[in-house]
Amino acid sequence: SSASPLLAVRDVSVVFGGIVALNGISFNMQKGQILGLIGPNGAGKTTLFNCLSRLYQPSKGDILLEGESILSRPPHRIAEVGIGRTFQNVALFPNMSVLDNVRVGAHCRTNSDIVSDSLRMPWIRSGEKALNKRVDDILGYLDLRSVAHTTVSGLPFGTQKRVELARALAAEPKILLLDEPAGGLNHEEVYNLGDLIRRIRDDRGITVLLVEHHMGMVMSTADYVVALNFGRKLAEGTPTQVQNDPDVIKAYLGSK
Ligand code: ATP
């Protein structure tokens, strides 16, 4: 399409010592898209995810959000431009309540106008009020109100994953990066999570990048799929196109 992409990955390469983990990767993400990133072990998915979340610096190429490079931003400054993420293994504060974990997420991207308002007029505390409302809305949206005051470590793993989503959403991201969200979940939980991701996109217009091993989940959740192999882009297209791509089939059979 001719619409300018929300995110553009342009000719990104990453070299570790002598190993070329990513080799000239380019693709676009359109606003509101759920893009699945797949590939056999060692294909470069995690490396690309880490470039997007700014943990790794590409050796070459650029990553543009709404036309502006994000490469000068350190990982702790990407929430401000609207990139949110979750982790492969849940990375919540285990001894804090669900509510407090989600509040931390909301604080990661508190509108600077709201902050300066409440600094100028602390008796109004409008920022805090707006933040509390945002957090409560998200808890309701993800069906977490009943466990708001429960300590995270006491919750089932599937619920913890939902709390992590809530925390990421509380920062009001434009793009949500999900690192293997289906890992450790049972069959039913995987498909519920896929439905939830689609619902979040439909209701909130959030663009999602999904790195995932669970092929069924990617194919039923993503609108568009990019397949990597040995650090190169192997194929891209709709889930059906990519699933039927001879190179993709060969790469997966070869990796078994
Ligand atoms: P998996 O599905 O197994 O997680 P992946 O698709 O995420 O694999 P990456 O972890 O990105 O693949 O790895 C791509 C290549 O880069 C591999 O050859 C890997 O050994 C190498 N690699 C990744 N991280 C590093 C690192 N920090 N130092 C050296 N080599 C690395």
Side-chain angles (χ1 to χ4, degrees), residues 10 23-25 31 67 70 88 99 101 126 155 163 168 238 242:
R10 297 250 177 92
N23 196 343
I25 299 297
K31 187 174 184 314
I70 62 163
Q88 212 163 315
L99 178 68
N101 269 277
S126 62
L155 292 169
V163 177
T238 63
V242 170

Side-chain angles (χ1 to χ4, degrees), residues 14-17 19-22 38-50 56 88 179-180 211 213 228 230-231:
V14 175
V15 182
F16 296 111
I19 297 165
V20 182
L22 286 180
I38 63 165
N41 290 334
K45 303 180 297 293
T46 304
T47 304
L48 182 57
F49 189 95
N50 285 337
Y56 289 168
Q88 212 163 315
D179 193 5
E180 299 199 12
V211 172
H213 270 288
L228 304 181
F230 295 119

Side-chain angles (χ1 to χ4, degrees), residues 9-15 22 47-48 50-52 54-63 70-72:
V9 175
R10 297 250 177 92
D11 199 26
V12 166
S13 293
V14 175
V15 182
L22 286 180
T47 304
L48 182 57
N50 285 337
C51 288
L52 291 167
R54 302 298 307 113
L55 290 172
Y56 289 168
Q57 187 71 359
S59 323
K60 184 163 84 69
D62 207 351
I63 300 172
I70 62 163
L71 294 191
S72 57

Side-chain angles (χ1 to χ4, degrees), residues 19-241:
I19 297 165
V20 182
L22 286 180
N23 196 343
I25 299 297
S26 298
F27 63 89
N28 288 332
M29 286 184 75
Q30 306 301 333
K31 187 174 184 314
Q33 194 172 52
I34 301 177
L35 188 146
L37 186 64
I38 63 165
N41 290 334
K45 303 180 297 293
T46 304
T47 304
L48 182 57
F49 189 95
N50 285 337
C51 288
L52 291 167
S53 60
R54 302 298 307 113
L55 290 172
Y56 289 168
Q57 187 71 359
S59 323
K60 184 163 84 69
D62 207 351
I63 300 172
L64 309 172
L65 179 69
E66 294 174 324
E68 300 218 359
S69 178
I70 62 163
L71 294 191
S72 57
R73 286 193 173 260
H76 62 279
R77 302 275 319 265
I78 60 158
E80 295 164 17
V81 291
I83 299 179
R85 70 163 296 178
T86 65
F87 293 82
Q88 212 163 315
N89 301 305
V90 169
L92 295 163
F93 299 104
N95 299 321
M96 277 165 51
S97 70
V98 168
L99 178 68
D100 286 343
N101 269 277
V102 178
R103 285 178 63 89
V104 169
H107 273 289
C108 284
R109 191 166 175 231
T110 304
N111 183 324
S112 52
D113 299 338
I114 295 176
V115 173
S116 57
D117 270 0
S118 64
L119 287 177
R120 271 198 310 274
M121 303 173 283
W123 58 91
I124 294 179
R125 308 273 295 168
S126 62
E128 199 64 15
K129 239 177 165 171
L131 187 140
N132 286 340
K133 171 148 186 355
R134 192 184 341 149
V135 167
D136 185 61
D137 283 349
I138 287 164
L139 291 179
Y141 184 70
L142 292 182
D143 203 16
L144 290 168
R145 273 203 192 110
S146 62
V147 291
H149 299 286
T150 306
T151 301
V152 160
S153 61
L155 292 169
F157 189 65
T159 311
Q160 291 191 20
K161 289 230 155 182
R162 226 160 62 234
V163 177
E164 223 196 340
L165 263 182
R167 183 175 65 177
L169 284 179
E172 302 193 313
K174 292 174 186 158
I175 297 189
L176 194 52
L177 308 175
L178 304 178
D179 193 5
E180 299 199 12
L185 298 182
N186 67 36
H187 185 81
E188 194 190 339
E189 289 171 330
V190 168
Y191 287 96
N192 287 340
L193 184 65
D195 285 347
L196 181 59
I197 292 167
R198 290 190 71 88
R199 188 154 66 85
I200 288 168
R201 186 276 305 277
D202 294 345
D203 293 350
R204 303 185 168 229
I206 293 174
T207 308
V208 180
L209 182 113
L210 184 62
V211 172
E212 187 50 67
H213 270 288
H214 195 296
M215 207 51 71
M217 199 252 194
V218 176
M219 295 302 170
S220 63
T221 308
D223 315 301
Y224 199 77
V225 175
V226 172
L228 304 181
N229 195 26
F230 295 119
R232 290 183 183 274
K233 187 171 74 183
L234 198 57
E236 67 177 304
T238 63
T240 315
Q241 283 168 343

